[in-house]
Amino acid sequence: MTRRNFGIFGSCVIGLATLSGLGIKINAKPNLHLRPPGAVDRFDSLCIKCGQCVQVCPYHSIELLGFDDGINLATAYINANKRGCYLCDLFPCVLACPSGALAHKTTTIDDVKMGVAVVKSEFVNLCYANLEKKVENSDISELLKRKTYNQREEKAKEIIANNEGKICELCVNSCPVPKAIEFVNLNENSQNLAKLPKINESCVGCGVCVEVCFANVIEIIPNATYAQIYKKEIL
């Protein structure tokens, strides 16, 4: 959908939601959605579904939820499997939010708490770094086919392209948060150079690592903290 048609779409969606509200399934777990940076605890009730954050996002990372999400219909979210949040300077999505659903005090990466990344243990054997396998063009072809509309998106694509022919380090190279993710050797005493991504405490759950991991090894747990996931605190 083009941004030119976005306003018309937003009006139609809100109207349809009002007319069909009784027939829409209520979603009891709104926190499962990855929300834009700066999302407050009451995001679901404060978001007025205006779509301003969608329009100003330079990476086209933000979308609106569809009809199957019930009462969350038309609220903003990020599908990290398609495009993560690159935490761009000035946070235009936050500045554009008129309702307070995205806190305007969010001015630096340190203020962002979208969730936390997790390496899927059942898919560890698919990680190219762990397999010491080089990235082939066929692995990243879908990522490289995506249209870009500005220099920021071109730079993100360039990082992906530069990994071709090398042992994969896409998640680390693409991450916008310094040292949020790094590769560690599985066994320091071994001659084997195999390694895996390790999530560090500075991770904010932006989802970029998920976007670029064509092996589907990483996922984001929205609204969770590093302490809850990695220090075994109760969720």
Side-chain angles (χ1 to χ4, degrees):
M1 179 185 298
T2 65
R3 296 188 181 186
R4 180 180 300 175
N5 297 326
F6 187 83
I8 297 174
F9 170 78
S11 299
C12 292
V13 165
I14 293 173
L16 288 171
T18 302
L19 292 174
S20 59
L22 293 178
I24 295 177
K25 178 185 66 176
I26 295 178
N27 187 338
K29 296 182 179 180
N31 289 337
L32 292 179
H33 298 298
L34 184 63
R35 299 301 190 177
V40 299
D41 292 339
R42 295 176 55 230
F43 178 88
D44 300 282
S45 60
L46 289 175
C47 177
I48 60 174
K49 310 174 184 181
C50 66
Q52 293 297 316
C53 56
V54 178
Q55 296 187 58
V56 301
C57 178
Y59 288 96
H60 300 83
S61 302
I62 307 175
E63 301 181 36
L64 299 182
L65 289 169
F67 284 97
D68 56 341
D69 285 283
I71 58 173
N72 293 315
L73 170 66
T75 57
Y77 84 114
I78 291 173
N79 181 351
N81 290 302
K82 293 174 63 177
R83 176 75 78 170
C85 170
Y86 282 79
L87 304 170
C88 44
D89 53 315
L90 301 180
F91 295 97
C93 56
V94 174
L95 295 176
C97 180
S99 67
L102 302 180
H104 283 202
K105 65 180 181 181
T106 306
T107 58
T108 69
I109 290 178
D110 291 337
D111 299 324
V112 178
K113 303 184 188 306
M114 298 169 66
V116 66
V118 173
V119 178
K120 303 177 188 177
S121 59
E122 66 270 31
F123 295 115
V124 163
N125 61 341
L126 298 178
C127 177
Y128 271 37
N130 185 28
L131 296 172
E132 300 182 67
K133 186 176 178 180
K134 293 182 179 180
V135 178
E136 299 180 6
N137 182 266
S138 58
D139 297 319
I140 55 177
S141 60
E142 291 302 314
L143 292 171
L144 297 178
K145 284 179 184 177
R146 295 184 305 189
K147 291 183 178 179
T148 57
Y149 299 91
N150 55 62
Q151 189 175 5
R152 290 173 185 259
E153 291 181 301
E154 281 291 344
K155 184 176 180 181
K157 182 182 283 190
E158 183 180 337
I159 292 173
I160 295 171
N162 287 341
N163 270 256
E164 184 175 349
K166 304 174 184 176
I167 301 297
C168 186
E169 293 188 352
L170 272 172
C171 55
V172 172
N173 293 341
S174 299
C175 180
V177 184
K179 299 182 179 180
I181 184 170
E182 63 179 330
F183 283 110
V184 295
N185 292 331
L186 296 178
N187 187 346
E188 295 181 358
N189 298 320
S190 172
Q191 295 288 330
N192 191 344
L193 298 178
K195 53 190 178 181
L196 278 176
K198 175 180 178 292
I199 311 301
N200 294 322
E201 198 159 359
S202 56
C203 173
V204 301
C206 69
V208 171
C209 56
V210 175
E211 173 196 339
V212 300
C213 182
F214 53 84
N216 194 29
V217 172
I218 307 174
E219 64 181 333
I220 300 294
I221 301 180
N223 297 322
T225 67
Y226 185 89
Q228 289 171 331
I229 301 302
Y230 292 98
K231 296 182 180 179
K232 307 302 181 183
E233 293 184 5
I234 298 175
L235 285 168

